[in-house]
Amino acid sequence: MEDTLPCSYSPLPNGPPTIEGPLDKRRPRKKATLIIFSGLLLLLLLALFVAITVGDYRNSHNVHENENDEALLATSEPSSVSIPSEPVHSVSRGVSVGVSEKSNRVFADHNAISYPWNNSMLSWQRTSFHFQPEKNWMNDPNGPMFYKGWYHFFYQYNPNGAVWGDIVWGHAVSTDLIHWLHLPLAMVADQWYDINGVWTGSATVLPNGEVVMLYTGSTNESVQVQNLAYPANLSDPLLINWVKYSDNPVLLPPPGINKNDFRDPTTAWYTSDGKWKFAIGSRVNTTGITLVYHTKDFKSYERLDGLLHSVPDTGMWECVDFYPVSKTAGKGLDTSITGPGVKHVMKTSLDNDRQDYYALGIYDEKTDTWVPDNPNIGIGIRYDYGIFYASKTFYDEQKERRVLWGWIGESDSEFADMKKGWASVQGIPRTVLLDTKTGSNLLQWPVEEVDSLRLSGKEFDKVEVKAGSVVPLDIVSATQLDIVAEFELDKEALERTAQSNVEFSCGNSQGAAQRGALGPFGLLVLADESLSEQTPVYFYIAKGTDGNLTTFFCVDQSRSSEATDVNKQIHGGFVPVLKDEKLSVRLLVDHSIVESFVQGGRTCITSRIYPTKAIYGAARLFLFNNATEATVTTSLKIWQMNSAFIHPFRAK
Amino acid sequence: MRTLVFIVLVYVVFQIIFLSSSQCARLSPNDDNLIEQTCKQTPNYNLCISSLKSDPKSATADVAGLALIMVNVLNTTTTQTLIHINSLLLQSQRNEVKEALLSCVDNYKIGVLTADVPVSIEALTKGNPKFADQGTQDAANESNSCEEGFSGNSPLTVENTNINNVAKVANAIVKLLL
């Protein structure tokens, strides 16, 4: 790196010499010369001021303009620099929403010695019944759909390594959302309009059986555009080959929208005016927004004047999703359904905190407006309090359900990802329903086909766990489990516990070591015999100043591994518990992923766990109760889970 | 006489204005302002300023461009540290020190140079900055891992701290894009 100033000193401008010369001759033609030179000086001053103000624009184009206008500012610097030329974003934002408490916490860990990963530890981390490619990097779910008897799943994939980059579309099929078969890549970056990335998109299955895929391409100039693709052969149920529309892109960023803020089109829905509509997230300054486009043929589009939704200070909205849920029937709805018995979910992924949020509201298809039920909901509530991003739903017309996919990234180091040769899994597919008991949140639950993986089961009935104790659960193995557990606290403890005005949150607590009167209690998963590694998943009940109980569910990663290069945060959130409801949780443990579904799926937490000892046969499962007052009684069913044996499709 | 004095004064003022603006010959002082405004939002203002200003491209860069410059500084700093580690490995070391040094090679060569830096560059140039957020955060974590491997007797504390600081500055700039 040079130590010199950004610009070399330029030679003295021509100004002074031309002034000095005539000044020598001022005696013979004094007054006229003086007038001329004052005029010249004024002109030069003027030109300088013009140069300074014009130089506000940082476009390289305008840089060159300055050089032409401002002859005095001659420089020997090379004139062109390959910096992407785009308008400057105002740096002085009100709230720097990107720098959150949570992100700083990742830096803060300075505990034990760094642990070297060996192949045994790393290969244990691969999941058995969650979708992941055989190797390399994966991120967003793309274009999920059901077609001719097969569930299709596409995904952002890097064919060249275990980190994000060179993104193309992977593809897999399954008849049951569990046993996946890998197919060849569906789309690669082979056109100018997606050469820098075949990014996220969604499928729309038309009533006549045609399939339309809208996806974002990053062009050769890194502009985000929307493109149309469709199956090469609709009679191939595996939809192996795809064709890109010859006149792509079908949409460019509209006026007022930055070329890097226009991506992830949704599935389209059909409205009574005979048009298809889709939504796409973006932002204006720091306000996240959802745009809507209309089309009749998926080739030409009109933009809706208004916004479907917007929330200030949220930054860029990625992977927007917009879909109906029934207010009454316990089943899913086709994306185009509207009506009085229907609410619409407006979901977004926030670029700046990598979390997914949703809000419930009413959609008026005639005016294309969506109004949230709760006007103060802002961006909404989280789908999942752990690692869960870029999620996307689709309507499964075979089983009349809406199914949710979510990208579960790694929370270990890049070095470990490179060493193990892969990164990321997909969450177990979940059905999504409106919670008719609360009316204000969704319920997410693993699809019923997961139950088909259950092998031997063991029941534990009414196990009493006294305050401050740990109870081992004698099961065959503890790395592939489906656990359904119910907990009851003794009523005395609930009543006699003092009220507290201390606010509790999982993320700001000391984890399972923080003892309260009525919690924490739950299970220790992926623990070793000596409990040197353990991942507590637990309830914590707080009694507020009004005497009311507030329930939380947390997953504590702080002692999950002796390795120091893994995430040690405590994830979790509030759980709505209605009167007379028992506390219940379903856990799916699948090697390095643990998914918790609390109170029938009102609160969900997905975690990635990377033990160094509590692996293979050394992993154990315990019940624990670290409360100071309450005795907890638990009934559990624990199943060993079979592998889904996900493998490449082999033609017979 | 008075008109002559007037002209000379105007000329002197003119020269002062002109010379100070020619410090950055192509553009207006507003671009120094962008660098300063950006660096104020990082945890290490001085490191940010000196790193950015030592690259001529910073004069015409937007925030994404400044982030790219910082990632480049991360790249260079990490490379220099790897060279130092290699020279330490060539000297005789106690076993636990040698193991820790080799572990650091993993952190930096594989973690930072092969993964974090290319991912961050691609993310910034293609307009998907969250992957650069992750990449620069990971780089800071890798430097922690390296340092912790020595259990207190690290020969690389200065370098590890430096990489950590550079990574955190880069991360702060990237977060401005989210």
Side-chain angles (χ1 to χ4, degrees):
Chain A
M1 279 170 283
E2 297 174 40
D3 243 8
T4 56
L5 291 167
C7 311
S8 56
Y9 282 99
S10 43
L12 283 174
N14 294 327
T18 52
I19 294 171
E20 272 162 22
L23 275 171
D24 288 336
K25 294 174 191 161
R26 73 188 187 277
R27 207 171 285 270
R29 287 176 282 159
K30 201 166 162 181
K31 270 200 178 133
T33 342
L34 286 173
I35 291 166
I36 291 167
F37 288 133
S38 321
L40 269 172
L41 272 173
L42 282 168
L43 272 173
L44 289 166
L45 275 168
L46 208 70
L48 183 66
F49 285 133
V50 167
I52 288 171
T53 49
V54 169
D56 274 352
Y57 298 107
R58 283 161 193 76
N59 265 311
S60 49
H61 170 65
N62 287 335
V63 169
H64 295 308
E65 274 183 356
N66 282 346
E67 290 184 332
N68 291 333
D69 291 343
E70 208 25 274
L72 286 178
L73 300 177
T75 172
S76 55
E77 279 287 301
S79 61
S80 72
V81 185
S82 56
I83 299 274
S85 59
E86 51 186 305
V88 168
H89 293 290
S90 160
V91 171
S92 49
R93 296 179 184 178
V95 173
S96 180
V97 286
V99 184
S100 69
E101 213 183 70
K102 290 189 290 297
S103 57
N104 288 337
R105 201 182 270 264
V106 180
F107 296 141
D109 196 55
H110 288 279
N111 296 334
I113 309 168
S114 182
Y115 207 94
W117 294 103
N118 63 33
N119 286 329
S120 170
M121 295 167 192
L122 291 176
S123 47
W124 175 88
Q125 292 174 10
R126 272 195 81 86
T127 65
S128 281
F129 57 91
H130 285 74
F131 180 83
Q132 53 181 129
E134 295 179 288
K135 58 177 182 169
N136 291 344
W137 166 276
M138 165 173 67
N139 54 295
D140 305 2
N142 295 156
M145 60 180 194
F146 179 78
Y147 181 77
K148 284 194 160 67
W150 290 93
Y151 292 100
H152 286 262
F153 182 70
F154 305 87
Y155 54 97
Q156 297 281 279
Y157 178 65
N158 181 353
N160 299 324
V163 294
W164 181 83
D166 299 341
I167 294 295
V168 298
W169 274 38
H171 186 191
V173 289
S174 166
T175 53
D176 65 358
L177 289 172
I178 297 294
H179 296 90
W180 292 96
L181 302 166
H182 295 302
L183 290 177
L185 300 176
M187 292 198 285
V188 297
D190 57 4
Q191 302 296 324
W192 68 267
Y193 50 76
D194 60 17
I195 192 80
N196 275 329
V198 190
W199 289 352
T200 291
S202 306
T204 306
V205 181
L206 306 185
N208 63 2
E210 281 178 45
V211 175
V212 157
M213 195 74 82
L214 278 175
Y215 73 96
T216 300
S218 183
T219 70
N220 58 346
E221 290 178 348
S222 294
V223 178
Q224 289 163 17
V225 299
Q226 312 317 315
N227 304 309
L228 172 63
Y230 46 88
N233 181 1
L234 279 170
S235 58
D236 167 23
L238 296 181
L239 298 178
I240 292 186
N241 295 304
W242 288 78
V243 171
K244 294 177 186 176
Y245 174 51
S246 52
D247 258 343
N248 276 332
V250 294
L251 275 176
L252 303 177
I257 295 297
N258 189 286
K259 70 188 185 92
N260 285 340
D261 292 338
F262 188 59
R263 54 185 182 269
D264 313 333
T266 66
T267 295
W269 63 93
Y270 193 72
T271 52
S272 55
D273 52 358
K275 292 184 189 156
W276 288 95
K277 293 165 189 179
F278 81 88
I280 183 165
S282 183
R283 69 168 150 182
V284 175
N285 295 323
T286 59
T287 298
I289 63 174
T290 299
L291 301 166
V292 177
Y293 283 86
H294 305 176
T295 182
K296 291 197 172 190
D297 57 3
F298 291 92
K299 293 170 182 170
S300 68
Y301 296 82
E302 269 172 46
R303 188 163 56 98
L304 176 72
D305 275 333
L307 302 170
L308 197 57
H309 193 38
S310 70
V311 181
D313 288 326
T314 50
M316 175 66 187
W317 287 8
E318 302 188 291
C319 297
V320 156
D321 199 4
F322 185 67
Y323 59 89
V325 288
S326 170
K327 290 207 274 201
T328 50
K331 58 181 188 140
L333 298 175
D334 180 283
T335 312
S336 300
I337 303 283
T338 56
V342 168
K343 278 195 200 289
H344 271 73
V345 175
M346 174 80 242
K347 171 260 167 185
T348 182
S349 291
L350 282 198
D351 199 17
N352 64 14
D353 68 4
R354 269 199 292 298
Q355 283 159 11
D356 281 6
Y357 299 85
Y358 73 88
L360 293 160
I362 302 294
Y363 172 59
D364 180 344
E365 61 111 26
K366 290 199 167 44
T367 56
D368 277 320
T369 51
W370 174 83
V371 176
D373 289 346
N374 174 357
N376 300 319
I377 195 95
I379 198 74
I381 49 184
R382 289 184 57 186
Y383 259 143
D384 186 300
Y385 289 93
I387 312 286
F388 189 84
Y389 194 65
S391 61
K392 185 184 288 299
T393 63
F394 75 100
Y395 177 61
D396 167 10
E397 69 253 26
Q398 180 182 230
K399 291 202 170 179
E400 290 182 305
R401 58 184 171 181
R402 181 153 290 268
V403 178
L404 171 69
W405 284 96
W407 166 38
I408 318 297
E410 300 294 312
S411 50
D412 63 357
S413 71
E414 296 283 328
F415 158 66
D417 295 349
M418 298 282 285
K419 192 162 186 199
K420 71 196 189 196
W422 62 271
S424 301
V425 302
Q426 295 291 329
I428 205 78
R430 312 171 177 184
T431 52
V432 175
L433 288 170
L434 179 67
D435 185 350
T436 48
K437 291 183 189 158
T438 62
S440 57
N441 55 270
L442 296 170
L443 293 172
Q444 303 161 60
W445 197 252
V447 292
E448 57 183 12
E449 289 90 335
V450 172
D451 300 4
S452 71
L453 292 169
R454 289 171 173 168
L455 297 171
S456 57
K458 195 162 183 182
E459 268 188 64
F460 297 83
D461 204 35
K462 294 200 167 39
V463 180
E464 209 183 61
V465 191
K466 288 200 178 343
S469 62
V470 173
V471 174
L473 291 166
D474 182 24
I475 53 175
V476 171
S477 156
T479 54
Q480 285 172 219
L481 299 174
D482 186 353
I483 305 171
V484 172
E486 264 181 10
F487 296 83
E488 263 184 284
L489 284 164
D490 69 279
K491 294 203 165 42
E492 265 184 36
L494 281 169
E495 267 147 40
R496 71 165 182 269
T497 293
Q499 295 163 0
S500 158
N501 60 0
V502 177
E503 289 266 324
F504 178 85
S505 86
C506 296
N508 291 330
S509 71
Q510 305 302 311
Q514 178 174 325
R515 307 191 71 183
L518 303 173
F521 58 87
L523 290 138
L524 303 176
V525 302
L526 296 175
D528 69 328
E529 192 65 51
S530 67
L531 296 179
S532 64
E533 289 183 337
Q534 49 172 283
T535 301
V537 304
Y538 59 93
F539 287 94
Y540 187 95
I541 301 177
K543 197 176 203 182
T545 48
D546 51 2
N548 282 336
L549 300 172
T550 316
T551 308
F552 299 86
F553 194 87
C554 316
V555 176
D556 178 359
Q557 300 176 113
S558 64
R559 286 174 294 172
S560 61
S561 174
E562 290 192 356
T564 51
D565 53 350
V566 299
N567 192 297
K568 297 289 178 79
Q569 291 173 350
I570 297 143
H571 293 139
F574 164 69
V575 184
V577 178
L578 302 177
K579 195 168 184 300
D580 294 333
E581 273 183 359
K582 284 198 191 135
L583 297 174
S584 69
V585 61
R586 180 176 182 184
L587 296 169
L588 291 177
V589 178
D590 184 7
H591 297 261
S592 61
I593 185 172
V594 175
E595 290 161 303
S596 312
F597 301 89
V598 191
Q599 292 315 96
R602 273 191 200 129
T603 299
C604 306
I605 307 166
T606 303
S607 307
R608 300 300 309 279
I609 309 293
Y610 308 97
T612 62
K613 288 191 184 148
I615 59 179
Y616 299 112
R620 300 271 179 275
L621 182 69
F622 298 85
L623 281 167
F624 85 98
N625 177 3
N626 209 20
T628 54
E629 296 283 328
T631 300
V632 171
T633 310
T634 321
S635 296
L636 311 124
K637 283 198 186 119
I638 304 174
W639 292 272
Q640 298 294 324
M641 292 297 266
N642 202 356
S643 166
F645 301 110
I646 297 172
H647 60 273
F649 181 88
R650 285 179 270 270
K652 284 175 189 141
Chain B
M1 189 58 200
R2 269 181 297 155
T3 33
L4 175 62
V5 171
F6 168 73
I7 288 164
V8 170
L9 276 172
V10 170
Y11 164 64
V12 167
V13 167
F14 176 79
Q15 279 296 300
I16 290 168
I17 296 170
F18 172 73
L19 274 175
S20 55
S21 74
S22 76
Q23 292 304 306
C24 200
R26 270 172 296 139
L27 290 168
S28 76
N30 278 345
D31 288 279
D32 276 347
N33 210 6
L34 175 65
I35 295 173
E36 274 145 21
Q37 279 187 55
T38 304
C39 287
K40 277 182 193 159
Q41 300 185 67
T42 71
N44 195 324
Y45 179 80
N46 290 332
L47 174 66
C48 178
I49 292 282
S50 63
S51 302
L52 291 179
K53 289 201 170 173
S54 67
D55 187 326
K57 295 198 206 84
S58 65
T60 48
D62 56 7
V63 179
L66 294 177
L68 276 164
I69 291 172
M70 213 61 215
V71 170
N72 195 33
V73 171
L74 175 66
N75 193 22
T76 314
T77 317
T78 308
T79 308
Q80 288 164 344
T81 304
L82 272 169
I83 293 169
H84 183 206
I85 294 174
N86 283 334
S87 74
L88 287 174
L89 281 166
L90 287 172
Q91 305 159 24
S92 72
Q93 306 280 357
R94 290 189 335 269
N95 271 341
E96 56 271 27
V97 174
K98 194 168 176 196
E99 268 181 41
L101 286 169
L102 288 170
S103 191
C104 290
V105 171
D106 279 342
N107 292 128
Y108 287 139
K109 190 163 166 206
I110 300 177
V112 178
L113 294 187
T114 316
D116 298 334
V117 166
V119 169
S120 300
I121 292 174
E122 183 165 349
L124 288 165
T125 44
K126 292 182 183 178
N128 208 326
K130 68 176 179 287
F131 295 107
D133 180 23
Q134 258 178 308
T136 49
Q137 262 186 16
D138 183 77
N141 292 347
E142 303 282 1
S143 73
N144 286 339
S145 288
C146 170
E147 184 68 9
E148 283 150 17
F150 296 98
S151 331
N153 291 322
S154 167
L156 296 172
T157 305
V158 171
E159 287 91 339
N160 288 336
T161 310
N162 198 19
I163 292 177
N164 190 282
N165 288 335
V166 169
K168 285 187 189 168
V169 167
N171 183 260
I173 301 178
V174 167
K175 280 189 151 68
L176 298 174
L177 297 166
L178 291 175

